[in-house]
Amino acid sequence: MSMIFFACVVRVRDGLPLSASTDFYHTQDFLEWRRRLKSLALRLAQYPGRGSAEGRDFSIHFSSFGDVACMAICSCQCPATMAFCFLETLWWEFTASYDTTCIGLASRPYAFLEFDNIIQKVKWHFNYVSSSQMESSLEKIQEELKLQPPVVLTLEDTDVANGVMNGHAPMHLEPAPNFRMEPVTALGILSLILNIMCAALNLIRGVHLAEHSLQVAHEEIGNVLAFLVPFVACIFQDPGNWFCWLDQTS
């Protein structure tokens, strides 16, 4: 009988899912626990080490160390010792396959989706291999749980209501102020017109001089630049007036 239904590996600091097992369960209750697991993953930094949240039919177990945590949705008949033994085995497999640099640089969900194959193998092993074959590993975990019991969470700790996580104050979003540039003054309009006229004159002179320079000598290229540079300077001399004028005319 299968007792471990779903498992995933997440990054502790932001809850980013790195890999997960293929989901074959689509009942409403199971999807609800998937949602609870996702919300809990976002707050794993608050619960270092091991922890559990139990319900009527399912339970969530997680085990984190460093910046990697493994989480699982199990049947309520699944012993906590077996669940944490499974999670520890999964943690060692993942950290042996990927270094901390790759994990830290991951920017998209399920960046290590190929690890699903290993998750399925480990999950199958714990679901169908007899406990006697894992006796030494289970005894080790049992001793650790006696020395340091896992954190016990309530269902409310894993719940999300109206998009706000339990225990977190909702954020009040205010509309951004609508800024508008000041209208251009008469002096600004005059400055803008003079800049356009100067730019046009410099452009005309530069073009004519360029035609002449190409016919006479290459040394005249400096004279061409002497008019073209002021033309560009005039364009960018007072950009504020340009933008204000455009804002008014739009």
Side-chain angles (χ1 to χ4, degrees):
M1 179 182 177
S2 179
M3 290 190 292
I4 302 173
F5 299 119
F6 175 80
C8 65
V9 183
V10 302
R11 190 165 59 191
V12 173
R13 72 170 184 263
D14 54 6
L16 180 73
L18 302 174
S19 189
S21 61
T22 305
D23 191 357
F24 296 107
Y25 306 96
H26 302 286
T27 64
Q28 192 62 37
D29 289 343
F30 179 78
L31 294 177
E32 173 68 17
W33 279 86
R34 280 286 306 272
R35 185 181 65 83
R36 292 178 183 275
L37 181 143
K38 184 178 179 180
S39 67
L40 179 58
L42 297 173
R43 293 177 290 156
L44 280 179
Q46 303 177 22
Y47 308 109
R50 299 186 176 107
S52 300
E54 296 186 0
R56 185 181 62 182
D57 299 318
F58 299 101
S59 60
I60 294 176
H61 301 281
F62 63 87
S63 180
S64 65
F65 183 77
D67 202 26
V68 175
C70 295
M71 309 181 72
I73 298 177
C74 305
S75 165
C76 284
Q77 284 74 38
C78 179
T81 304
M82 177 176 290
F84 286 118
C85 188
F86 163 74
L87 293 175
E88 182 172 284
T89 303
L90 207 58
W91 187 91
W92 281 110
E93 290 284 351
F94 187 83
T95 54
S97 302
Y98 307 100
D99 57 36
T100 55
T101 302
C102 293
I103 296 170
L105 293 176
S107 58
R108 59 183 176 84
Y110 306 106
F112 310 103
L113 191 58
E114 66 278 0
F115 189 72
D116 167 53
N117 294 328
I118 297 179
I119 297 179
Q120 297 289 8
K121 291 177 182 178
V122 177
K123 186 158 70 78
W124 184 92
H125 178 78
F126 277 84
N127 278 333
Y128 298 106
V129 174
S130 63
S131 300
S132 59
Q133 298 183 35
M134 301 181 288
E135 187 174 355
S136 60
S137 299
L138 292 174
E139 288 178 353
K140 171 180 171 293
I141 295 297
Q142 192 169 15
E143 289 298 321
E144 292 179 0
L145 294 179
K146 288 180 180 179
L147 295 174
Q148 190 173 1
V151 176
V152 178
L153 304 178
T154 63
L155 295 184
E156 287 75 16
D157 292 324
T158 66
D159 199 12
V160 176
N162 296 324
V164 181
M165 289 186 293
N166 182 63
H168 289 250
M171 293 187 298
H172 300 284
L173 302 178
E174 298 180 356
N178 185 18
F179 293 106
R180 188 173 178 84
M181 294 184 178
E182 294 292 332
V184 182
T185 62
L187 186 61
I189 295 175
L190 178 62
S191 174
L192 179 62
I193 294 173
L194 291 176
N195 278 332
I196 295 174
M197 293 176 62
C198 290
L201 289 174
N202 283 318
L203 179 61
I204 294 171
R205 291 177 181 177
V207 170
H208 283 299
L209 190 57
E211 293 176 352
H212 177 71
S213 299
L214 292 176
Q215 297 174 0
V216 179
H218 294 290
E219 288 79 4
E220 298 291 336
I221 196 70
N223 295 330
V224 178
L225 294 176
F227 288 99
L228 293 181
V229 170
F231 162 72
V232 176
C234 286
I235 294 296
F236 294 100
Q237 182 177 357
D238 199 0
N241 287 333
W242 282 91
F243 294 137
C244 291
W245 180 75
L246 291 173
D247 186 63
Q248 280 187 324
T249 56
S250 62

